[in-house]
Amino acid sequence: MATVEIRHLVKQFSDEVTAVRDINILTQDGEFLVLLGPSGCGKSTLLRMIGGLEQPTSGQILIGDKVVNNLPPRARSIAMVFQSYALYPHMTVHGNIAFPLKAGKIPKAEQEKKIHWASTILGIDNLMDRRPGQLSGGQRQRVALARALVREPDVFLLDEPLSNLDAQRRASARDELQSFQREIGTTTIYVTHDQVEAMGMGHRIAVLNHGELQQIGTPREIYEEPQNIFVATFLGSPPMNLIPHGDRLIGFRPESISPRSEVIDPVNAIEFTLNNIRTEYLGSEKLLYGDIEGTRAVSRLPANFVIPEEEGASVKMAVEHRAIRIFDKATGQSTGEPVIDLTSAGSLT
Ligand SMILES: Nc1ncnc2c1ncn2[C@@H]1O[C@H](COP(=O)(O)OP(=O)(O)O)[C@@H](O)[C@H]1O
Ligand SMILES: [Mg+2]
């Protein structure tokens, strides 16, 4: 096992395209670190540089405490799994998992021991004679993981390995992958554009946009204390509400705004009027949409919550101070201000 450290890493493909801009990250040993961001933000490029498939323009990559910039992929003690899995279609599951061991000239008996160990951990020991074409997407993904696991790498690099699965299968695959990583304790860097995967699986999340690191922290830190508007709105579905107020933006999550009558601590809350309301019943919850000072906002309520007003009417809402985050309108950065400074009047509308 090992830590991975990235120092001032830059990847410039051309004058127009800089995919990774001066990124610094230090993982902990055994950590599950997620690289999260929209398509094209540089996640795969960053992962491929760590794996040795792409040469950095500048900066350093350390695995353990060794600079690996000039080492080829096979000398880095890493194993990569991609979205496509890249299994050999003409080989059985056993043949696919054995492949990297054969290439490494490991004695046959020891190969078989490792294959048995990896396939048991991943629950595919009953599929060893099948070919990839005879497997479900989830099973193929587990074969790809087993093939990476038998190499007993210091670091796993996974690039959107679940994105070929349907939504239902993805939830259980998340659970399996997370249990598997916690069990073997191998440092893992996992790329995804899916915030649910990132929140659910990572010890920490590194949020990227336009090749820049926006924030790194635990899922709770990223969700509750976003450092800028990009992070605040990239995580959460629906995302954080942002209401312009002078040169600031007042941010609060949909679950933090409720009809005034429901607020537990009204003294330490700000009131808003939600105009022109519309509701969406979603089975497990109800979304209440409306305008606050001309900005569309949304409140997340229990599914059985009864809103006395009709569609199109106005409702008095409130948000407790502790749930409010303030952002600078010009820079998009969190100001870290206590909300009380902004709202001496107690109400915005
Ligand atoms: N080999 C390449 N040559 C030129 N540009 C590339 C290459 N690979 C990626 N890019 C560009 O770098 C940026 C980041 O790409 P990528 O790392 O694949 O993003 P992500 O994985 O977050 O979707 C994109 O603008 C992409 O078009
Ligand atoms: Mg990618």
Side-chain angles (χ1 to χ4, degrees):
M1 271 179 277
T3 57
V4 176
E5 185 173 1
I6 291 159
R7 292 182 186 159
H8 297 291
L9 206 63
V10 174
K11 179 65 186 184
Q12 189 167 8
F13 282 111
S14 64
D15 288 350
E16 296 83 43
V17 183
T18 303
V20 172
R21 296 167 190 268
D22 195 17
I23 290 190
N24 294 286
I25 292 175
L26 172 60
T27 72
Q28 288 163 22
D29 194 10
E31 179 169 13
F32 193 118
L33 178 77
V34 178
L35 304 179
L36 173 70
S39 179
C41 74
K43 307 179 294 293
S44 293
T45 303
L46 180 52
L47 200 74
R48 289 167 58 79
M49 285 194 282
I50 299 169
L53 304 179
E54 204 76 73
Q55 196 57 34
T57 305
S58 59
Q60 283 185 316
I61 301 161
L62 291 87
I63 297 178
D65 44 19
K66 204 162 84 190
V67 177
V68 298
N69 287 48
N70 296 321
L71 295 183
R74 66 191 145 69
R76 293 191 181 195
S77 192
I78 47 116
M80 290 188 81
V81 177
F82 301 98
Q83 178 178 348
S84 61
Y85 312 145
L87 300 177
Y88 299 106
H90 60 285
M91 288 185 192
T92 60
V93 167
H94 183 278
N96 268 282
I97 300 173
F99 192 79
L101 298 177
K102 287 199 173 124
K105 299 191 177 65
I106 294 168
K108 185 90 181 144
E110 195 170 327
Q111 283 186 28
E112 289 307 320
K113 230 165 87 183
K114 287 186 189 213
I115 294 166
H116 177 73
W117 166 70
S119 56
T120 309
I121 286 186
L122 285 152
I124 51 171
D125 43 331
N126 58 335
L127 304 174
M128 301 307 274
D129 297 327
R130 293 207 202 165
R131 290 175 202 280
Q134 300 167 304
L135 302 174
S136 71
Q139 289 167 335
R140 259 177 265 171
Q141 182 242 333
R142 281 186 268 167
V143 175
L145 282 170
R147 188 176 57 180
L149 183 58
V150 287
R151 298 176 49 199
E152 297 179 75
D154 286 335
V155 180
F156 272 122
L157 303 176
L158 309 180
D159 194 346
E160 313 235 14
L162 307 187
S163 52
N164 285 341
L165 307 182
D166 58 46
Q168 270 178 357
R169 180 64 204 142
R170 213 180 297 165
S172 57
R174 269 203 317 264
D175 177 34
E176 284 166 12
L177 190 58
Q178 189 189 35
S179 320
F180 156 74
Q181 194 272 340
R182 302 300 192 263
E183 188 179 324
I184 59 165
T186 302
T187 307
T188 300
I189 305 183
Y190 182 100
V191 161
T192 183
H193 64 277
D194 182 335
Q195 50 145 334
V196 178
E197 279 183 17
M199 291 290 287
M201 290 199 289
H203 288 122
R204 283 189 306 163
I205 303 172
V207 184
L208 272 64
N209 192 29
H210 298 311
E212 284 178 356
L213 181 63
Q214 304 292 312
Q215 185 169 354
I216 183 165
T218 63
R220 185 178 290 275
E221 284 163 355
I222 296 280
Y223 190 78
E224 294 189 355
E225 305 296 342
Q227 278 167 19
N228 60 41
I229 288 174
F230 178 81
V231 177
T233 52
F234 193 75
L235 287 120
S237 175
M240 182 180 273
N241 294 296
L242 291 169
I243 310 298
H245 183 70
D247 58 1
R248 297 286 196 267
L249 286 165
I250 299 177
F252 47 85
R253 298 246 171 233
E255 60 272 24
S256 302
I257 178 165
S258 342
R260 188 175 52 182
S261 53
E262 302 299 307
V263 171
I264 296 161
D265 185 9
V267 175
N268 293 306
I270 301 183
E271 289 184 11
F272 296 96
T273 304
L274 205 55
N275 296 308
N276 192 17
I277 60 167
R278 190 180 64 78
T279 57
E280 268 178 14
Y281 171 75
L282 298 177
S284 60
E285 64 193 26
K286 186 180 273 180
L287 299 179
L288 172 63
Y289 288 87
D291 299 321
I292 297 173
E293 297 182 341
T295 301
R296 205 68 176 156
V298 59
S299 157
R300 179 195 307 243
L301 298 165
N304 59 3
F305 191 87
V306 179
I307 297 148
E309 286 78 6
E310 292 174 0
E311 299 264 312
S314 298
V315 193
K316 286 271 184 213
M317 307 287 287
V319 187
E320 289 180 26
H321 290 166
R322 60 188 172 80
I324 287 178
R325 302 290 173 267
I326 311 283
F327 298 91
D328 185 283
K329 212 193 264 178
T331 66
Q333 297 297 308
S334 165
T335 66
E337 291 166 283
V339 66
I340 216 78
D341 291 353
L342 276 176
T343 56
S344 48
S347 169
L348 281 173
T349 50

